Amino acid sequence: MSRPEPIAHYGRDIVFPFTLCTLIWSSTWLVITYQLGPVPAQWSVTYRFLISAVAMAVMARMQGHKLRLDAQLARAAIVLGFTQFFLNYNGVYLAERFITSGLVATVFGLLLIPNSLFGWVMLGERPAVRFLASALVALVGIGLLFLHELDRSPAVRDHIGLGILLTGTGLLGASIANVYQALERVRRYPMTLLLAWSMAVGTVIDAVVAFAMTGPPVFDPRPSYWLGLSYLAIVASVVAFSLYFPVVRRIGAGNAAYSSVLTPIIAMALSTAFEGYIWTPLAGAGAVLALVGMLFALAGRNRKVAGPLADRPTAIASPGGDP
């Protein structure tokens, strides 16, 4: 695996797709809230990845890849389909019924923490003490943000707790997927081919669970729903993934993970503008601690591990878990 390019060498071919992906994924947290209406969240997730799987398969064929599924690719697609495209996204969609999109995005900015812990177990990438200390600061910041929510809405304390639990479930699924796809036996498959099959498997799981939990499919006739769904399926899933992963493979996961700091900032700004999020000194202190902790954690994240595991590939983290 080639060594990541130095930051000083970044040109428009890196900066433009990196910036575009960050902006796209920052906006999706808010767009998801407009998917929450008469259509159960489970069916909205199913529709999204049905469209995404078809579009990603078309893209894979346009790149010259055959849609052949061998045993190893099937196993990878099942793992990623369940963790990334079922557990992660259902957790996010359901969480946003109870807490604001900006808060969900901020929690997902901590994705690098479970990524590093799972990377230690699965890839042998031991986190530095500086990373662990910085992660603790970020967690304290997130805790202050949720204390602000509890103070603001004591009557719906149970709902906020459920929102936290669902967000954590989605975060866990995203982290497992991030680290698993960094394994050498998975990385050898073209990204579009891997994503096409993973999205297809995720769609099947989503549909089965949606039917079991909510009954037959429900459709929303509003144009706003389908415009939002199309944006999430095509722009936020197919286009953004296709732009982002080539960048990660050039600049390294450590540098690309800085997007996970930028994403919650933009998402919280959008939440303030469109969801009426009210800032207080407690919420402001929490946001500052979370962002400072994430920045310092990233700065100390990619120290090499001595020994034969030093050249293992680093887990690729999509910004904020890619809502």
Side-chain angles (χ1 to χ4, degrees):
M1 186 175 178
S2 58
R3 189 178 294 273
E5 298 177 16
I7 292 177
H9 293 171
Y10 293 175
R12 283 180 297 179
D13 59 331
I14 294 294
V15 174
F16 176 74
F18 180 82
T19 303
L20 184 59
C21 288
T22 301
L23 292 174
I24 290 172
W25 276 325
S26 298
S27 67
T28 56
W29 302 98
L30 182 62
V31 176
I32 286 172
T33 64
Y34 295 99
Q35 299 285 291
L36 305 177
V39 179
Q42 295 90 340
W43 280 116
S44 287
V45 175
T46 302
Y47 302 153
R48 173 177 177 175
F49 290 111
L50 175 61
I51 298 170
S52 297
V54 173
M56 192 66 77
V58 170
M59 181 174 292
R61 289 294 296 137
M62 290 175 63
Q63 293 176 351
H65 305 307
K66 295 181 179 180
L67 299 178
R68 185 179 296 122
L69 186 65
D70 60 32
Q72 183 63 60
L73 179 56
R75 283 193 291 271
I78 290 171
V79 173
L80 293 175
F82 177 78
T83 56
Q84 182 77 20
F85 300 113
F86 166 69
L87 203 60
N88 173 25
Y89 283 92
N90 276 278
V92 168
Y93 276 62
L94 291 170
E96 291 196 15
R97 288 186 178 273
F98 304 104
I99 55 179
T100 65
S101 63
L103 280 176
V104 178
T106 301
V107 174
F108 261 80
L110 299 175
L111 183 65
L112 63 112
I113 297 175
N115 272 11
S116 294
L117 297 177
F118 283 124
W120 188 5
V121 174
M122 298 171 64
L123 302 174
E125 297 172 349
R126 185 174 62 251
V129 174
R130 173 181 173 178
F131 169 84
L132 296 175
S134 302
L136 180 60
V137 172
L139 287 172
V140 170
I142 295 296
L144 292 180
L145 283 169
F146 281 113
L147 281 177
H148 164 71
E149 286 294 287
L150 291 173
D151 289 342
R152 188 169 68 95
S153 308
V156 292
R157 193 172 296 243
D158 290 343
H159 286 181
I160 293 173
L162 183 56
I164 296 172
L165 178 62
L166 289 166
T167 304
T169 301
L171 183 67
L172 180 65
S175 182
I176 293 172
N178 275 208
V179 177
Y180 178 81
Q181 63 83 44
L183 297 174
E184 192 62 40
R185 65 178 182 274
V186 180
R187 288 173 60 88
R188 66 187 180 90
Y189 293 103
M191 185 56 65
T192 51
L193 181 64
L194 176 63
L195 286 172
W197 280 111
S198 299
M199 288 175 174
V201 171
T203 300
V204 173
I205 300 173
D206 290 331
V208 170
V209 173
F211 191 88
M213 293 184 65
T214 68
V218 177
F219 297 96
D220 188 338
R222 295 176 302 156
S224 60
Y225 175 85
W226 292 99
L227 285 172
L229 182 66
S230 299
Y231 177 81
L232 292 169
I234 302 300
V235 178
S237 298
V238 177
V239 174
F241 266 123
S242 300
L243 289 173
Y244 181 72
F245 280 106
V247 170
V248 170
R249 289 180 176 181
R250 287 187 60 185
I251 71 176
N255 291 328
Y258 277 92
S259 183
S260 67
V261 175
L262 300 175
T263 296
I265 296 174
I266 301 172
M268 287 297 285
L270 292 173
S271 181
T272 302
F274 292 98
E275 296 179 297
Y277 186 84
I278 301 174
W279 289 92
T280 65
L282 182 65
V288 169
L289 282 175
L291 293 173
V292 169
M294 283 187 278
L295 280 169
F296 277 101
L298 281 167
R301 179 171 180 258
N302 287 327
R303 295 181 180 178
K304 280 186 174 287
V305 181
L309 299 178
D311 294 326
R312 292 265 187 104
T314 305
I316 298 174
S318 54
D322 166 40

